[in-house]
Amino acid sequence: MKEITVSVDDETYYRACLHAAELKTTIPALLSEYLREVTEPPAKTPEQEAANELRMRKLREVRDEIRRNNPNFRMSDNVPRDELYDRRFI
């Protein structure tokens, strides 16, 4: 577990102490919970999950169609390795 030092003005500290006391917790516990909340990826709705799955399914279909229509296609056959990693063109 990592420790973090935070500096706040006196009024903020006082209000945080009161708020923590009202919740029967501590300021470090409040800060830890806040950091967990802001760093968690947002929950996806069922509609977002379904839309993402549909996009992924379409991408797989396109990939599979390209592979079916071009069984010997390889990008490395078209671009020499030296050119692929040549930073002058970036």
Side-chain angles (χ1 to χ4, degrees), residues 56-69:
M56 293 304 294
R57 190 176 325 127
K58 287 180 180 180
L59 284 172
R60 285 190 293 270
E61 289 171 3
V62 168
R63 178 201 63 199
D64 293 344
E65 182 179 347
I66 290 170
R67 286 180 176 168
R68 272 192 310 276
N69 295 334

Side-chain angles (χ1 to χ4, degrees), residues 16-56:
C17 286
L18 291 177
H19 187 66
E22 289 172 358
L23 297 174
K24 296 181 172 55
T25 190
T26 63
I27 293 174
L30 285 175
L31 291 172
S32 291
E33 179 61 26
Y34 173 74
L35 291 174
R36 268 191 297 282
E37 287 176 9
V38 299
T39 58
E40 281 185 11
K44 293 183 180 176
T45 66
E47 293 82 14
Q48 290 170 322
E49 290 285 348
N52 188 50
E53 180 56 38
L54 181 61
R55 279 192 300 276
M56 293 304 294

